[in-house]
């Protein structure tokens, strides 16, 4: 895959915007172009966290060009062409369980969606959320990998999808379709949290509470907890909203599960030790009883000795 430089992409985005404003014929960006852009956005942002102001300024120019380009596109083109192809391809890569292809795909999706709330809203797909959760469960829970960079990349993407693509997307419809919007959010959350050993959403909520310590003070893709977003969008404390909040609060997480597992293992070991000690005590008691209990022959001998 040929990687395009940020400068070339920014120039291409500006030309795209200028051509549209001038009503000239335009060349629509392809899904592959967005894939490359997402990968560059992710890597460049990571590299520039400790960079000087000039380099950060160049990056923000590139980022703004990217967002302007997204805004200039038709929502139907974004949904049916760009996002649909990207989402289907990502889900396919996850099912293939190939880390070599999956890691760059996850980084690209992170760069694409975490830098545009509009893309999250238009391109939201619960199948992508399920694919991310499947990846998390396989890589971090079952294989017990400790890749903090990939974990943050995964949580960033899933956060922006659920916050800006699902919950905040209901904000514009809140006055007209409050119940429908809340029901839509609840259905997705229920689908994503099926199973007692599904720790991804619980771990995500824990991560969201400490994410403020990192970058992303960007209003466009600001991250907060799912619970705060629900309260912000659905102001009235209806029974349905409270049930959704309770559902989110009770999501199991791997930290608690590990603590319970450790405690359970300790209790099992202690119980086994007590049982073993009980068995040894019983065996010793039986052995003592066998040694000190006279046989019938011994009893008769003692009785004859006393008579003599």
């Amino acid at each position: 895959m040929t990687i395009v430089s940020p400068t070339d992409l920014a120039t291409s985005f500006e030309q795209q915007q200028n051509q549209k404003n001038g009503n000239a014929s335009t060349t629509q960006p392809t899904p592959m172009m967005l894939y490359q852009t997402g990968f560059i956005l992710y890597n460049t942002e990571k590299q520039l966290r400790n960079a000087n102001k000039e380099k950060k300024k160049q990056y923000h120019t590139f980022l703004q060009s990217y967002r302007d380009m997204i805004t200039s596109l038709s929502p139907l083109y974004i949904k049916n062409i760009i996002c649909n192809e990207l989402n289907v391809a990502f889900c396919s890569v996850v099912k293939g369980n190939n880390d070599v292809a999956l890691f760059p795909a996850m980084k690209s999706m992170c760069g694409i969606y975490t830098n545009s709330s509009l893309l999250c809203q238009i391109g939201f797909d619960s199948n992508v959320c399920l694919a991310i959760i499947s990846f998390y469960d396989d890589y971090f829970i079952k294989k017990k990998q400790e890749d903090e960079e990939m974990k943050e990349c995964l949580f960033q993407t899933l956060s922006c999808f659920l916050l800006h693509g699902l919950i905040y997307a209901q904000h514009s419809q809140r006055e007209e379709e409050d119940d429908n919007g809340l029901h839509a959010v609840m259905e997705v959350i229920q689908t994503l949290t099926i199973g007692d050993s599904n720790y991804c959403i619980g771990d995500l909520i824990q991560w969201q509470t400490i994410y403020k310590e990192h970058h992303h003070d960007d209003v466009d893709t600001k991250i907060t907890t799912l619970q705060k977003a629900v309260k912000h969008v659905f102001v009235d404390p209806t029974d349905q909203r409270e049930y959704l909040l309770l559902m989110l609060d009770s999501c199991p997480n791997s930290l608690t599960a590990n603590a319970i597992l450790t405690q359970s293992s300790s209790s099992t070991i202690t119980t086994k030790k007590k049982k073993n000690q009980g068995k040894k005590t019983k065996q010793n008691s039986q052995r003592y009883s066998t040694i000190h209990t006279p046989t019938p022959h011994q009893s008769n001998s003692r009785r004859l000795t006393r008579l003599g």
Side-chain angles (χ1 to χ4, degrees):
M1 180 182 70
T2 303
I3 298 296
V4 185
S5 71
T7 304
D8 290 342
L9 280 174
T11 302
S12 175
F13 296 156
E14 289 173 0
Q15 290 175 349
Q16 166 81 17
Q17 181 68 17
N18 292 335
Q19 286 176 349
K20 181 168 183 177
N21 292 338
N23 295 321
S25 60
T26 60
T27 302
Q28 301 279 48
T30 63
M32 177 55 74
M33 183 178 179
L34 262 289
Y35 178 87
Q36 293 176 334
T37 303
F39 195 73
I40 291 173
L41 280 167
Y42 174 84
N43 284 304
T44 305
E45 184 178 33
K46 185 174 179 294
Q47 293 168 4
L48 292 182
R49 289 184 184 180
N50 299 316
N52 58 43
K53 290 183 178 179
E54 183 60 31
K55 287 187 176 181
K56 286 184 178 181
K57 184 179 178 181
Q58 292 175 357
Y59 169 75
H60 286 296
T61 300
F62 169 45
L63 179 59
Q64 190 56 51
S65 298
Y66 167 71
R67 288 176 176 167
D68 289 342
M69 183 272 294
I70 296 297
T71 306
S72 71
L73 297 174
S74 160
L76 286 177
Y77 182 79
I78 294 176
K79 182 175 182 64
N80 298 331
I81 303 298
I82 291 181
C83 291
N84 181 60
E85 290 193 22
L86 287 171
N87 292 347
V88 170
F90 176 74
C91 292
S92 177
V93 170
V94 173
K95 287 180 181 178
N97 199 24
N98 182 352
D99 291 349
V100 176
L102 181 53
F103 286 6
M106 187 71 254
K107 292 177 181 179
S108 178
M109 292 289 279
C110 182
I112 290 169
Y113 284 110
T114 63
N115 287 294
S116 174
S117 58
L118 179 62
L119 268 185
C120 288
Q121 183 175 343
I122 297 176
F124 177 80
D125 186 344
S126 60
N127 289 324
V128 173
C129 297
L130 287 170
I132 293 174
I133 290 173
S134 174
F135 171 38
Y136 182 82
D137 179 64
D138 179 66
Y139 190 68
F140 290 102
I141 303 300
K142 293 178 181 177
K143 295 180 181 178
K144 299 186 183 301
Q145 299 295 327
E146 297 182 358
D147 188 338
E148 290 302 318
E149 179 189 346
M150 183 52 59
K151 183 180 289 186
E152 182 171 308
C153 171
L154 183 152
F155 281 155
Q156 283 182 21
T157 310
L158 189 56
S159 283
C160 283
F161 245 126
L162 293 176
L163 290 171
H164 302 283
L166 177 63
I167 300 174
Y168 289 137
Q170 313 299 327
H171 195 278
S172 60
Q173 305 172 357
R174 185 163 56 87
E175 293 181 359
E176 302 173 6
E177 300 179 285
D178 194 27
D179 291 340
N180 291 338
L182 186 56
H183 182 70
V185 173
M186 184 174 290
E187 277 193 333
V188 173
I189 297 299
Q190 284 178 327
T191 302
L192 301 183
T193 54
I194 292 176
D196 295 334
S197 61
N198 183 352
Y199 303 125
C200 186
I201 297 298
D203 288 352
L204 171 71
I205 293 171
Q206 280 196 328
W207 174 84
Q208 287 173 333
T209 60
I210 62 172
Y211 188 72
K212 295 176 183 177
E213 299 175 9
H214 300 278
H215 65 296
H216 257 289
D217 53 352
D218 189 341
V219 176
D220 187 61
T221 50
K222 185 177 180 180
I223 287 179
T224 185
T225 63
L226 298 178
Q227 291 94 319
K228 286 183 178 179
V230 168
K231 291 177 181 178
H232 176 74
V233 175
F234 307 104
V235 180
D236 296 333
T238 62
D239 291 342
Q240 194 174 18
R241 190 196 81 160
E242 296 308 301
Y243 181 77
L244 174 58
L245 292 172
L246 181 63
M247 189 191 306
L248 292 170
D249 288 336
S250 60
C251 284
N253 60 74
S254 58
L255 187 63
T256 304
N258 289 336
I260 293 173
L261 183 62
T262 301
Q263 185 178 5
S264 176
S265 299
S266 300
S267 299
T268 303
I269 293 172
T270 303
T271 303
K272 285 183 178 179
K273 283 183 177 179
K274 288 182 178 179
K275 285 183 178 180
N276 291 334
Q277 288 174 352
K279 286 181 180 179
K280 287 182 180 179
T281 302
K282 186 176 181 180
Q283 289 171 353
N284 291 335
S285 177
Q286 290 174 343
R287 191 177 297 114
Y288 179 86
S289 177
T290 301
I291 293 172
H292 293 277
T293 301
T295 64
H297 176 73
Q298 289 174 331
S299 298
N300 291 334
S301 298
R302 289 174 184 173
R303 193 176 297 111
L304 289 171
T305 300
R306 282 199 297 270
L307 290 174

